[in-house]
Amino acid sequence: MKSLYKKAYLFGSPISHSISPAMHNYSFDKLNINARYEAIDISLDNIASINQYIRDDYFLGANVTMPLKTEVIKLLDKLDITSQLSGSVNTIVKKDGLLYGYTTDGAGFINSLREIDIDIANKHILMLGAGGAARAIITQASLDKAASITIAKRINHGFKEIETFISKVTDETLIDINLIDITSDTSIKDAVDKCDIIINATPVGMTIQGSLIDKSYLTKDKVVCDLIYEPDMTKLLTDAKKSGCKYINGRYMLMYQGALSFKLWTDMDMPIEEVKKKYFS
Ligand code: NAP
């Protein structure tokens, strides 16, 4: 049966709390685009069921969230450079009958820094964590000419995998990337001292209480970013505020990564100021 509109989706689990359907449907309506965006709860066990949506003639595009960002790659035809390097997809686009995977998480994060007047170029970055979001940001920051990146992670968790990722990114972008043990206080203090921007890409501060950075290490010349947006002020951000640092949570990253996905699907700009006012202030 013919559909009366194009269809866009969010796939992942859990997704019932997501703001993405409201933000995208509002933007479709504002720009008179005949499309609807729907969140579909899909876990790793039934990831193959995504095929019925993305192979449909009326499929416009999709977002992919946890826990599917890596596994979804096997359902796609081609990958953009950011997904090839990061091994992560958060956006599916249909072009000439083929399904392409992109990640807009990295560019969405970097665009969000505009809100605090920060440009990532030539900055020394300390990244806490090396999961999907961290790898997407590291990839984009490397392509956008950050000066160096220090990744802090637990050395007993998938160290080999991250070393492979680092060599792929350094081969492509020639950026200087170092790996340190997130549990070593001396290494962390040294990395904080040397960096311009600290980014928390772990769940510490959300599902796990506390902060990975001792408050006494923070000085007011640091920019402190937390990808977490619920709570809107994690312990790390509260400490950053008290120390006089510029800081930002993950809320605007969510908005900007969505805006970039929207552009890839429609070739039109999301009405960002209106979306910001309605859903993000
Ligand atoms: P992920 O793939 O599961 O990666 C999580 C990372 O955190 C891993 O590197 C893991 O370390 C590390 N980690 C977990 N618990 C830790 C602990 N107790 N101590 C030290 N490191 C720990 O998750 P993700 O998708 O990258 O998401 C990471 C965070 O970003 C989450 O809080 C998520 O909500 C947020 N996020 C926000 C947005 C947004 O739009 N604002 C988008 C995506 C993600 P190991 O490598 O050592 O296992």
Side-chain angles (χ1 to χ4, degrees):
M1 199 171 81
K2 273 194 169 184
S3 171
L4 296 174
Y5 51 85
K6 289 276 192 182
K7 297 172 183 177
Y9 301 98
L10 169 65
F11 302 123
S13 188
I15 34 96
S16 56
H17 62 285
S18 174
I19 205 168
S20 295
M23 163 170 87
H24 287 291
N25 284 326
Y26 174 82
S27 304
F28 289 148
D29 290 344
K30 268 277 158 195
L31 299 175
N32 289 320
I33 297 170
N34 195 15
R36 288 286 95 193
Y37 184 106
E38 191 186 348
I40 311 274
D41 197 302
I42 292 182
S43 58
L44 275 177
D45 297 342
N46 60 345
I47 190 166
S49 65
I50 287 180
N51 272 318
Q52 71 187 278
Y53 302 101
I54 62 180
R55 300 276 167 192
D56 182 279
D57 285 349
Y58 291 88
F59 176 66
L60 175 65
N63 285 130
V64 181
T65 188
M66 283 198 305
L68 312 175
K69 287 184 181 181
T70 303
E71 288 299 306
V72 77
I73 289 174
K74 63 185 179 212
L75 305 179
L76 306 177
D77 302 311
K78 286 186 183 271
L79 294 182
D80 165 73
I81 180 79
T82 53
S83 288
Q84 281 174 34
L85 291 175
S86 64
S88 176
V89 163
N90 84 334
T91 303
I92 305 174
V93 182
K94 192 174 178 180
K95 273 194 277 188
D96 303 326
L98 293 179
L99 294 167
Y100 287 73
Y102 291 77
T103 176
T104 63
D105 279 337
F109 169 77
I110 289 167
N111 287 353
S112 79
L113 295 182
R114 286 187 202 143
E115 299 288 332
I116 52 169
D117 296 323
I118 296 295
D119 179 354
I120 202 116
N122 303 314
K123 300 293 190 306
H124 296 279
I125 295 167
L126 169 58
M127 176 65 75
L128 306 173
R135 286 200 300 265
I137 294 171
I138 291 164
T139 301
Q140 194 66 50
S142 305
L143 293 166
D144 290 359
K145 310 267 178 261
S148 73
I149 302 177
T150 297
I151 305 172
K153 80 168 250 90
R154 299 178 289 195
I155 50 167
N156 53 348
H157 282 230
F159 219 61
K160 196 92 211 125
E161 190 194 317
I162 194 69
E163 282 180 325
T164 310
F165 162 72
I166 291 171
S167 56
K168 273 203 282 182
V169 177
T170 47
D171 284 355
E172 181 73 29
T173 64
L174 305 178
I175 191 173
D176 176 19
I177 302 183
N178 309 297
L179 199 49
I180 61 167
D181 179 0
I182 206 163
T183 63
S184 158
D185 268 348
T186 17
S187 303
I188 291 287
K189 176 159 187 346
D190 187 48
V192 172
D193 285 346
K194 288 180 179 151
C195 79
D196 304 304
I197 303 179
I198 301 166
I199 305 169
N200 178 40
T202 77
V204 177
M206 183 175 61
T207 48
I208 304 161
Q209 292 302 304
S211 166
L212 291 161
I213 304 289
D214 191 294
K215 178 175 179 289
S216 67
Y217 301 169
L218 295 173
T219 47
K220 64 173 190 299
D221 55 316
K222 308 294 171 198
V223 176
V224 181
C225 312
D226 205 320
L227 305 196
I228 294 168
Y229 51 88
E230 270 177 25
D232 62 346
M233 287 296 282
T234 56
K235 175 157 184 355
L236 174 65
L237 292 187
T238 305
D239 290 345
K241 184 177 180 185
K242 283 185 190 151
S243 307
C245 308
K246 272 192 176 181
Y247 63 93
I248 188 166
N249 71 16
R251 210 160 164 74
Y252 284 126
M253 171 179 171
L254 184 67
M255 180 180 80
Y256 283 109
Q257 60 79 26
L260 290 164
S261 301
F262 189 89
K263 177 92 179 176
L264 285 167
W265 304 327
T266 63
D267 209 21
M268 292 173 87
D269 290 324
M270 180 179 267
I272 205 89
E273 289 310 320
E274 287 159 271
V275 166
K276 192 193 280 186
K277 211 148 107 207
K278 201 164 165 63
Y279 300 105
F280 292 89
S281 35

